[in-house]
Amino acid sequence: MTAPDYVEIKLNDSLNDQHEDDHLLDKEAHTALLNTEDKYNNAVYDNTPTTHSHSLALQALPSLIISVIGLVFAGELMDDFQHLEVFLETTELFILLPILLNLKGNLEMNLAARLSTSSNLGELDYGPTRRSLIFGNLCLLQVQSLVAGATAGLSSFALGLLTKPGSSTSYYEMIFMTSSAMVAASISSAALGVFMCVLIVICRRFNIDPDNIACPLASSIGDIVTLVILAAITSFIHENMESLFSTFLFICMTLLIPVFGSIVWNISSVKHLLFSGWTPLILAMVISSLAGIILEAYVEQYKGVALLTPVLIGLAGNLGSIYASRMSTCLHADMKEEYKAVEYILLGMNVPVQLVFMFILWVFDMGKLNYTIWFFLAYFLVTMISTWICLKIAKYMTHYFWSLGYDPDNYVIPYLTASIDVIGTILLVGTFIVLTNTGGADMSIPPITNSTIS
């Protein structure tokens, strides 16, 4: 036997041994994953309706109560921000708010839905896989939030021109709104993204279904963080709006997009998400902009619109997102969902949460509204209708996208929240108009006169 033949034989033996080792490792990893899934199926999803319903109500209700507290606080912030100098001088910010909050909320709820599905399938149980998924999703969230911030700023400025064609505008105002939206979106996404990742990992460790709690918390807490950061950024930049400071911020934020994009591109587990899911985000922004136009038109005509709108559409959207996230997990895991039972439970959970909210409104006299029995009955009816519509949209939309081969975790929530933004805002404004015109409750804001000012 010659030396080359001997080397070739040894090399082949080494490769065969390596293939056998890889096969054993793959088999062990696959067995571990199956054991994880079996553990999850046995522990979290009981096929009996009683346990299934009990776990949903027990886990989801606290998160919904926390989310309502956050939504109330967000509504109070929005009500206060409308009197800030920067909002009074740049009224297009009222158009920017719902667009940016909708886009940001969609991004964070998409992240929560994706990681909830990964958690329920056991993909976060293996350390290297968990770190890769979390780091890749956080970098992806930065790319999406920066693009969403720029899109929201430019589109709200354009809508401001369309709604007020005779108003005087400038390059500085456009770049001011765009850079402010990008900075606020980036900072809040970083904070909320880390929070959601930690929350979902903790849920998995304590055998709690993150589908029941992640999306509501992402939505409500994200609104507060984004509102506070946006108000702070706009107030600071507004003082230097006529300088190139906004342009400098815009350039810096734009340069970060390819930086984070290159990181995502090199992580195989999230690489495919870099160019997918943008269509629902953009279309949701267009749909949500209608709610912004309505809000801008009526926020100075009726009391409480800025206070009640976030809670109304936020709670309905949270309940719908829980439903959509649960259905998506069931579809991925090839498990069945008890549609009627879950719908009744989620619709029923809207009742105590809204009753608590209305009690808080009345006790603390929030918004200085005209609290009559007709106001409470009308508002409660609107919330139930909005929630019912949202649940139905979530159900049919999730199955529709799944049937087309799209991942519902990336497509359903943007359309769902944008639709309920418009529907809820229209119903609330329409209710205020009817209450005011029929004498059920005077919700109108009296016009400011010289005698009022003096």
Side-chain angles (χ1 to χ4, degrees), residues 309-332:
T309 299
V311 178
L312 172 66
I313 62 179
L315 184 57
N318 288 340
L319 291 167
S321 67
I322 291 176
Y323 195 21
S325 184
R326 290 175 59 90
M327 283 189 290
S328 179
T329 295
C330 290
L331 292 171
H332 280 92

mmCIF file with all atom_site columns, all heavy atoms in Angstrom, residues 309-332:
data_model
loop_
_atom_site.group_PDB
_atom_site.id
_atom_site.type_symbol
_atom_site.label_atom_id
_atom_site.label_alt_id
_atom_site.label_comp_id
_atom_site.label_asym_id
_atom_site.label_entity_id
_atom_site.label_seq_id
_atom_site.pdbx_PDB_ins_code
_atom_site.Cartn_x
_atom_site.Cartn_y
_atom_site.Cartn_z
_atom_site.occupancy
_atom_site.B_iso_or_equiv
_atom_site.pdbx_formal_charge
_atom_site.auth_seq_id
_atom_site.auth_comp_id
_atom_site.auth_asym_id
_atom_site.auth_atom_id
_atom_site.pdbx_PDB_model_num
ATOM 1   N N   . THR A 1 309 ? -59.732 57.128 23.329 1.00 0.00 ? 309 THR A N   1
ATOM 2   C CA  . THR A 1 309 ? -59.370 56.401 22.105 1.00 0.00 ? 309 THR A CA  1
ATOM 3   C C   . THR A 1 309 ? -58.301 55.332 22.342 1.00 0.00 ? 309 THR A C   1
ATOM 4   O O   . THR A 1 309 ? -58.464 54.193 21.889 1.00 0.00 ? 309 THR A O   1
ATOM 5   C CB  . THR A 1 309 ? -58.904 57.380 21.010 1.00 0.00 ? 309 THR A CB  1
ATOM 6   O OG1 . THR A 1 309 ? -59.968 58.283 20.698 1.00 0.00 ? 309 THR A OG1 1
ATOM 7   C CG2 . THR A 1 309 ? -58.505 56.634 19.753 1.00 0.00 ? 309 THR A CG2 1
ATOM 8   N N   . PRO A 1 310 ? -57.194 55.637 23.027 1.00 0.00 ? 310 PRO A N   1
ATOM 9   C CA  . PRO A 1 310 ? -56.179 54.587 23.226 1.00 0.00 ? 310 PRO A CA  1
ATOM 10  C C   . PRO A 1 310 ? -56.712 53.375 23.987 1.00 0.00 ? 310 PRO A C   1
ATOM 11  O O   . PRO A 1 310 ? -56.342 52.243 23.690 1.00 0.00 ? 310 PRO A O   1
ATOM 12  C CB  . PRO A 1 310 ? -55.081 55.304 24.025 1.00 0.00 ? 310 PRO A CB  1
ATOM 13  C CG  . PRO A 1 310 ? -55.278 56.749 23.764 1.00 0.00 ? 310 PRO A CG  1
ATOM 14  C CD  . PRO A 1 310 ? -56.747 56.919 23.610 1.00 0.00 ? 310 PRO A CD  1
ATOM 15  N N   . VAL A 1 311 ? -57.581 53.603 24.982 1.00 0.00 ? 311 VAL A N   1
ATOM 16  C CA  . VAL A 1 311 ? -58.110 52.492 25.769 1.00 0.00 ? 311 VAL A CA  1
ATOM 17  C C   . VAL A 1 311 ? -59.082 51.666 24.945 1.00 0.00 ? 311 VAL A C   1
ATOM 18  O O   . VAL A 1 311 ? -59.042 50.423 24.966 1.00 0.00 ? 311 VAL A O   1
ATOM 19  C CB  . VAL A 1 311 ? -58.785 53.009 27.047 1.00 0.00 ? 311 VAL A CB  1
ATOM 20  C CG1 . VAL A 1 311 ? -59.384 51.857 27.853 1.00 0.00 ? 311 VAL A CG1 1
ATOM 21  C CG2 . VAL A 1 311 ? -57.787 53.778 27.890 1.00 0.00 ? 311 VAL A CG2 1
ATOM 22  N N   . LEU A 1 312 ? -59.948 52.335 24.208 1.00 0.00 ? 312 LEU A N   1
ATOM 23  C CA  . LEU A 1 312 ? -60.949 51.634 23.407 1.00 0.00 ? 312 LEU A CA  1
ATOM 24  C C   . LEU A 1 312 ? -60.292 50.739 22.368 1.00 0.00 ? 312 LEU A C   1
ATOM 25  O O   . LEU A 1 312 ? -60.537 49.524 22.318 1.00 0.00 ? 312 LEU A O   1
ATOM 26  C CB  . LEU A 1 312 ? -61.874 52.650 22.735 1.00 0.00 ? 312 LEU A CB  1
ATOM 27  C CG  . LEU A 1 312 ? -62.853 52.071 21.704 1.00 0.00 ? 312 LEU A CG  1
ATOM 28  C CD1 . LEU A 1 312 ? -63.859 51.152 22.375 1.00 0.00 ? 312 LEU A CD1 1
ATOM 29  C CD2 . LEU A 1 312 ? -63.561 53.190 20.939 1.00 0.00 ? 312 LEU A CD2 1
ATOM 30  N N   . ILE A 1 313 ? -59.472 51.325 21.518 1.00 0.00 ? 313 ILE A N   1
ATOM 31  C CA  . ILE A 1 313 ? -58.870 50.541 20.439 1.00 0.00 ? 313 ILE A CA  1
ATOM 32  C C   . ILE A 1 313 ? -57.737 49.662 20.962 1.00 0.00 ? 313 ILE A C   1
ATOM 33  O O   . ILE A 1 313 ? -57.467 48.594 20.407 1.00 0.00 ? 313 ILE A O   1
ATOM 34  C CB  . ILE A 1 313 ? -58.359 51.463 19.312 1.00 0.00 ? 313 ILE A CB  1
ATOM 35  C CG1 . ILE A 1 313 ? -57.256 52.402 19.817 1.00 0.00 ? 313 ILE A CG1 1
ATOM 36  C CG2 . ILE A 1 313 ? -59.492 52.265 18.726 1.00 0.00 ? 313 ILE A CG2 1
ATOM 37  C CD1 . ILE A 1 313 ? -56.708 53.325 18.736 1.00 0.00 ? 313 ILE A CD1 1
ATOM 38  N N   . GLY A 1 314 ? -57.099 50.108 22.056 1.00 0.00 ? 314 GLY A N   1
ATOM 39  C CA  . GLY A 1 314 ? -55.998 49.328 22.600 1.00 0.00 ? 314 GLY A CA  1
ATOM 40  C C   . GLY A 1 314 ? -56.451 48.021 23.207 1.00 0.00 ? 314 GLY A C   1
ATOM 41  O O   . GLY A 1 314 ? -55.863 46.962 22.955 1.00 0.00 ? 314 GLY A O   1
ATOM 42  N N   . LEU A 1 315 ? -57.500 48.051 24.023 1.00 0.00 ? 315 LEU A N   1
ATOM 43  C CA  . LEU A 1 315 ? -57.980 46.833 24.667 1.00 0.00 ? 315 LEU A CA  1
ATOM 44  C C   . LEU A 1 315 ? -58.571 45.864 23.643 1.00 0.00 ? 315 LEU A C   1
ATOM 45  O O   . LEU A 1 315 ? -58.332 44.650 23.710 1.00 0.00 ? 315 LEU A O   1
ATOM 46  C CB  . LEU A 1 315 ? -59.014 47.169 25.735 1.00 0.00 ? 315 LEU A CB  1
ATOM 47  C CG  . LEU A 1 315 ? -59.531 45.989 26.566 1.00 0.00 ? 315 LEU A CG  1
ATOM 48  C CD1 . LEU A 1 315 ? -58.380 45.262 27.243 1.00 0.00 ? 315 LEU A CD1 1
ATOM 49  C CD2 . LEU A 1 315 ? -60.557 46.451 27.591 1.00 0.00 ? 315 LEU A CD2 1
ATOM 50  N N   . ALA A 1 316 ? -59.345 46.397 22.700 1.00 0.00 ? 316 ALA A N   1
ATOM 51  C CA  . ALA A 1 316 ? -59.894 45.526 21.652 1.00 0.00 ? 316 ALA A CA  1
ATOM 52  C C   . ALA A 1 316 ? -58.774 44.886 20.834 1.00 0.00 ? 316 ALA A C   1
ATOM 53  O O   . ALA A 1 316 ? -58.813 43.692 20.529 1.00 0.00 ? 316 ALA A O   1
ATOM 54  C CB  . ALA A 1 316 ? -60.827 46.335 20.745 1.00 0.00 ? 316 ALA A CB  1
ATOM 55  N N   . GLY A 1 317 ? -57.769 45.688 20.494 1.00 0.00 ? 317 GLY A N   1
ATOM 56  C CA  . GLY A 1 317 ? -56.636 45.153 19.744 1.00 0.00 ? 317 GLY A CA  1
ATOM 57  C C   . GLY A 1 317 ? -55.845 44.127 20.537 1.00 0.00 ? 317 GLY A C   1
ATOM 58  O O   . GLY A 1 317 ? -55.359 43.138 19.981 1.00 0.00 ? 317 GLY A O   1
ATOM 59  N N   . ASN A 1 318 ? -55.696 44.340 21.846 1.00 0.00 ? 318 ASN A N   1
ATOM 60  C CA  . ASN A 1 318 ? -54.984 43.379 22.690 1.00 0.00 ? 318 ASN A CA  1
ATOM 61  C C   . ASN A 1 318 ? -55.704 42.042 22.751 1.00 0.00 ? 318 ASN A C   1
ATOM 62  O O   . ASN A 1 318 ? -55.081 40.977 22.668 1.00 0.00 ? 318 ASN A O   1
ATOM 63  C CB  . ASN A 1 318 ? -54.817 43.941 24.098 1.00 0.00 ? 318 ASN A CB  1
ATOM 64  C CG  . ASN A 1 318 ? -53.799 45.054 24.164 1.00 0.00 ? 318 ASN A CG  1
ATOM 65  O OD1 . ASN A 1 318 ? -52.945 45.180 23.286 1.00 0.00 ? 318 ASN A OD1 1
ATOM 66  N ND2 . ASN A 1 318 ? -53.886 45.878 25.189 1.00 0.00 ? 318 ASN A ND2 1
ATOM 67  N N   . LEU A 1 319 ? -57.013 42.077 22.921 1.00 0.00 ? 319 LEU A N   1
ATOM 68  C CA  . LEU A 1 319 ? -57.783 40.837 22.946 1.00 0.00 ? 319 LEU A CA  1
ATOM 69  C C   . LEU A 1 319 ? -57.716 40.116 21.609 1.00 0.00 ? 319 LEU A C   1
ATOM 70  O O   . LEU A 1 319 ? -57.572 38.888 21.555 1.00 0.00 ? 319 LEU A O   1
ATOM 71  C CB  . LEU A 1 319 ? -59.237 41.143 23.321 1.00 0.00 ? 319 LEU A CB  1
ATOM 72  C CG  . LEU A 1 319 ? -59.466 41.596 24.771 1.00 0.00 ? 319 LEU A CG  1
ATOM 73  C CD1 . LEU A 1 319 ? -60.860 42.181 24.945 1.00 0.00 ? 319 LEU A CD1 1
ATOM 74  C CD2 . LEU A 1 319 ? -59.258 40.442 25.730 1.00 0.00 ? 319 LEU A CD2 1
ATOM 75  N N   . GLY A 1 320 ? -57.782 40.884 20.535 1.00 0.00 ? 320 GLY A N   1
ATOM 76  C CA  . GLY A 1 320 ? -57.666 40.274 19.215 1.00 0.00 ? 320 GLY A CA  1
ATOM 77  C C   . GLY A 1 320 ? -56.287 39.691 18.963 1.00 0.00 ? 320 GLY A C   1
ATOM 78  O O   . GLY A 1 320 ? -56.140 38.626 18.346 1.00 0.00 ? 320 GLY A O   1
ATOM 79  N N   . SER A 1 321 ? -55.252 40.373 19.451 1.00 0.00 ? 321 SER A N   1
ATOM 80  C CA  . SER A 1 321 ? -53.884 39.879 19.253 1.00 0.00 ? 321 SER A CA  1
ATOM 81  C C   . SER A 1 321 ? -53.625 38.615 20.049 1.00 0.00 ? 321 SER A C   1
ATOM 82  O O   . SER A 1 321 ? -52.884 37.728 19.602 1.00 0.00 ? 321 SER A O   1
ATOM 83  C CB  . SER A 1 321 ? -52.881 40.971 19.630 1.00 0.00 ? 321 SER A CB  1
ATOM 84  O OG  . SER A 1 321 ? -52.925 41.250 21.018 1.00 0.00 ? 321 SER A OG  1
ATOM 85  N N   . ILE A 1 322 ? -54.212 38.506 21.254 1.00 0.00 ? 322 ILE A N   1
ATOM 86  C CA  . ILE A 1 322 ? -54.105 37.259 22.018 1.00 0.00 ? 322 ILE A CA  1
ATOM 87  C C   . ILE A 1 322 ? -54.705 36.108 21.222 1.00 0.00 ? 322 ILE A C   1
ATOM 88  O O   . ILE A 1 322 ? -54.114 35.019 21.111 1.00 0.00 ? 322 ILE A O   1
ATOM 89  C CB  . ILE A 1 322 ? -54.814 37.396 23.384 1.00 0.00 ? 322 ILE A CB  1
ATOM 90  C CG1 . ILE A 1 322 ? -54.045 38.354 24.298 1.00 0.00 ? 322 ILE A CG1 1
ATOM 91  C CG2 . ILE A 1 322 ? -54.961 36.034 24.064 1.00 0.00 ? 322 ILE A CG2 1
ATOM 92  C CD1 . ILE A 1 322 ? -54.750 38.618 25.627 1.00 0.00 ? 322 ILE A CD1 1
ATOM 93  N N   . TYR A 1 323 ? -55.873 36.341 20.667 1.00 0.00 ? 323 TYR A N   1
ATOM 94  C CA  . TYR A 1 323 ? -56.568 35.315 19.875 1.00 0.00 ? 323 TYR A CA  1
ATOM 95  C C   . TYR A 1 323 ? -55.743 34.919 18.660 1.00 0.00 ? 323 TYR A C   1
ATOM 96  O O   . TYR A 1 323 ? -55.541 33.720 18.384 1.00 0.00 ? 323 TYR A O   1
ATOM 97  C CB  . TYR A 1 323 ? -57.928 35.868 19.459 1.00 0.00 ? 323 TYR A CB  1
ATOM 98  C CG  . TYR A 1 323 ? -58.911 34.830 18.959 1.00 0.00 ? 323 TYR A CG  1
ATOM 99  C CD1 . TYR A 1 323 ? -58.770 33.492 19.280 1.00 0.00 ? 323 TYR A CD1 1
ATOM 100 C CD2 . TYR A 1 323 ? -59.995 35.210 18.170 1.00 0.00 ? 323 TYR A CD2 1
ATOM 101 C CE1 . TYR A 1 323 ? -59.685 32.552 18.839 1.00 0.00 ? 323 TYR A CE1 1
ATOM 102 C CE2 . TYR A 1 323 ? -60.912 34.282 17.717 1.00 0.00 ? 323 TYR A CE2 1
ATOM 103 C CZ  . TYR A 1 323 ? -60.759 32.952 18.052 1.00 0.00 ? 323 TYR A CZ  1
ATOM 104 O OH  . TYR A 1 323 ? -61.657 32.029 17.605 1.00 0.00 ? 323 TYR A OH  1
ATOM 105 N N   . ALA A 1 324 ? -55.225 35.908 17.941 1.00 0.00 ? 324 ALA A N   1
ATOM 106 C CA  . ALA A 1 324 ? -54.436 35.623 16.739 1.00 0.00 ? 324 ALA A CA  1
ATOM 107 C C   . ALA A 1 324 ? -53.144 34.893 17.092 1.00 0.00 ? 324 ALA A C   1
ATOM 108 O O   . ALA A 1 324 ? -52.733 33.957 16.387 1.00 0.00 ? 324 ALA A O   1
ATOM 109 C CB  . ALA A 1 324 ? -54.122 36.929 16.000 1.00 0.00 ? 324 ALA A CB  1
ATOM 110 N N   . SER A 1 325 ? -52.487 35.303 18.169 1.00 0.00 ? 325 SER A N   1
ATOM 111 C CA  . SER A 1 325 ? -51.232 34.670 18.570 1.00 0.00 ? 325 SER A CA  1
ATOM 112 C C   . SER A 1 325 ? -51.450 33.221 18.983 1.00 0.00 ? 325 SER A C   1
ATOM 113 O O   . SER A 1 325 ? -50.661 32.332 18.642 1.00 0.00 ? 325 SER A O   1
ATOM 114 C CB  . SER A 1 325 ? -50.603 35.464 19.721 1.00 0.00 ? 325 SER A CB  1
ATOM 115 O OG  . SER A 1 325 ? -49.336 34.935 20.075 1.00 0.00 ? 325 SER A OG  1
ATOM 116 N N   . ARG A 1 326 ? -52.529 32.956 19.709 1.00 0.00 ? 326 ARG A N   1
ATOM 117 C CA  . ARG A 1 326 ? -52.845 31.581 20.107 1.00 0.00 ? 326 ARG A CA  1
ATOM 118 C C   . ARG A 1 326 ? -53.146 30.716 18.899 1.00 0.00 ? 326 ARG A C   1
ATOM 119 O O   . ARG A 1 326 ? -52.680 29.569 18.810 1.00 0.00 ? 326 ARG A O   1
ATOM 120 C CB  . ARG A 1 326 ? -54.036 31.573 21.069 1.00 0.00 ? 326 ARG A CB  1
ATOM 121 C CG  . ARG A 1 326 ? -53.755 32.143 22.451 1.00 0.00 ? 326 ARG A CG  1
ATOM 122 C CD  . ARG A 1 326 ? -55.031 32.186 23.268 1.00 0.00 ? 326 ARG A CD  1
ATOM 123 N NE  . ARG A 1 326 ? -55.598 30.862 23.396 1.00 0.00 ? 326 ARG A NE  1
ATOM 124 C CZ  . ARG A 1 326 ? -55.308 30.015 24.386 1.00 0.00 ? 326 ARG A CZ  1
ATOM 125 N NH1 . ARG A 1 326 ? -54.451 30.372 25.325 1.00 0.00 ? 326 ARG A NH1 1
ATOM 126 N NH2 . ARG A 1 326 ? -55.877 28.830 24.448 1.00 0.00 ? 326 ARG A NH2 1
ATOM 127 N N   . MET A 1 327 ? -53.934 31.231 17.966 1.00 0.00 ? 327 MET A N   1
ATOM 128 C CA  . MET A 1 327 ? -54.264 30.456 16.774 1.00 0.00 ? 327 MET A CA  1
ATOM 129 C C   . MET A 1 327 ? -53.022 30.165 15.943 1.00 0.00 ? 327 MET A C   1
ATOM 130 O O   . MET A 1 327 ? -52.874 29.070 15.379 1.00 0.00 ? 327 MET A O   1
ATOM 131 C CB  . MET A 1 327 ? -55.304 31.206 15.931 1.00 0.00 ? 327 MET A CB  1
ATOM 132 C CG  . MET A 1 327 ? -56.716 31.121 16.471 1.00 0.00 ? 327 MET A CG  1
ATOM 133 S SD  . MET A 1 327 ? -57.941 31.784 15.316 1.00 0.00 ? 327 MET A SD  1
ATOM 134 C CE  . MET A 1 327 ? -57.549 33.524 15.409 1.00 0.00 ? 327 MET A CE  1
ATOM 135 N N   . SER A 1 328 ? -52.121 31.137 15.843 1.00 0.00 ? 328 SER A N   1
ATOM 136 C CA  . SER A 1 328 ? -50.895 30.931 15.076 1.00 0.00 ? 328 SER A CA  1
ATOM 137 C C   . SER A 1 328 ? -50.048 29.819 15.689 1.00 0.00 ? 328 SER A C   1
ATOM 138 O O   . SER A 1 328 ? -49.511 28.962 14.973 1.00 0.00 ? 328 SER A O   1
ATOM 139 C CB  . SER A 1 328 ? -50.091 32.234 15.011 1.00 0.00 ? 328 SER A CB  1
ATOM 140 O OG  . SER A 1 328 ? -48.894 32.048 14.283 1.00 0.00 ? 328 SER A OG  1
ATOM 141 N N   . THR A 1 329 ? -49.924 29.824 17.015 1.00 0.00 ? 329 THR A N   1
ATOM 142 C CA  . THR A 1 329 ? -49.172 28.757 17.682 1.00 0.00 ? 329 THR A CA  1
ATOM 143 C C   . THR A 1 329 ? -49.816 27.399 17.431 1.00 0.00 ? 329 THR A C   1
ATOM 144 O O   . THR A 1 329 ? -49.121 26.407 17.164 1.00 0.00 ? 329 THR A O   1
ATOM 145 C CB  . THR A 1 329 ? -49.098 29.027 19.192 1.00 0.00 ? 329 THR A CB  1
ATOM 146 O OG1 . THR A 1 329 ? -48.344 30.217 19.423 1.00 0.00 ? 329 THR A OG1 1
ATOM 147 C CG2 . THR A 1 329 ? -48.445 27.873 19.929 1.00 0.00 ? 329 THR A CG2 1
ATOM 148 N N   . CYS A 1 330 ? -51.135 27.332 17.525 1.00 0.00 ? 330 CYS A N   1
ATOM 149 C CA  . CYS A 1 330 ? -51.835 26.066 17.279 1.00 0.00 ? 330 CYS A CA  1
ATOM 150 C C   . CYS A 1 330 ? -51.623 25.581 15.849 1.00 0.00 ? 330 CYS A C   1
ATOM 151 O O   . CYS A 1 330 ? -51.442 24.381 15.609 1.00 0.00 ? 330 CYS A O   1
ATOM 152 C CB  . CYS A 1 330 ? -53.327 26.231 17.561 1.00 0.00 ? 330 CYS A CB  1
ATOM 153 S SG  . CYS A 1 330 ? -53.734 26.425 19.314 1.00 0.00 ? 330 CYS A SG  1
ATOM 154 N N   . LEU A 1 331 ? -51.642 26.481 14.887 1.00 0.00 ? 331 LEU A N   1
ATOM 155 C CA  . LEU A 1 331 ? -51.431 26.102 13.495 1.00 0.00 ? 331 LEU A CA  1
ATOM 156 C C   . LEU A 1 331 ? -50.003 25.607 13.267 1.00 0.00 ? 331 LEU A C   1
ATOM 157 O O   . LEU A 1 331 ? -49.783 24.626 12.546 1.00 0.00 ? 331 LEU A O   1
ATOM 158 C CB  . LEU A 1 331 ? -51.740 27.288 12.578 1.00 0.00 ? 331 LEU A CB  1
ATOM 159 C CG  . LEU A 1 331 ? -53.213 27.705 12.504 1.00 0.00 ? 331 LEU A CG  1
ATOM 160 C CD1 . LEU A 1 331 ? -53.362 29.018 11.736 1.00 0.00 ? 331 LEU A CD1 1
ATOM 161 C CD2 . LEU A 1 331 ? -54.046 26.616 11.846 1.00 0.00 ? 331 LEU A CD2 1
ATOM 162 N N   . HIS A 1 332 ? -49.030 26.280 13.876 1.00 0.00 ? 332 HIS A N   1
ATOM 163 C CA  . HIS A 1 332 ? -47.642 25.833 13.740 1.00 0.00 ? 332 HIS A CA  1
ATOM 164 C C   . HIS A 1 332 ? -47.408 24.472 14.398 1.00 0.00 ? 332 HIS A C   1
ATOM 165 O O   . HIS A 1 332 ? -46.631 23.659 13.888 1.00 0.00 ? 332 HIS A O   1
ATOM 166 C CB  . HIS A 1 332 ? -46.684 26.867 14.373 1.00 0.00 ? 332 HIS A CB  1
ATOM 167 C CG  . HIS A 1 332 ? -46.405 28.046 13.496 1.00 0.00 ? 332 HIS A CG  1
ATOM 168 N ND1 . HIS A 1 332 ? -47.141 29.204 13.553 1.00 0.00 ? 332 HIS A ND1 1
ATOM 169 C CD2 . HIS A 1 332 ? -45.470 28.253 12.527 1.00 0.00 ? 332 HIS A CD2 1
ATOM 170 C CE1 . HIS A 1 332 ? -46.671 30.073 12.671 1.00 0.00 ? 332 HIS A CE1 1
ATOM 171 N NE2 . HIS A 1 332 ? -45.658 29.519 12.039 1.00 0.00 ? 332 HIS A NE2 1
#
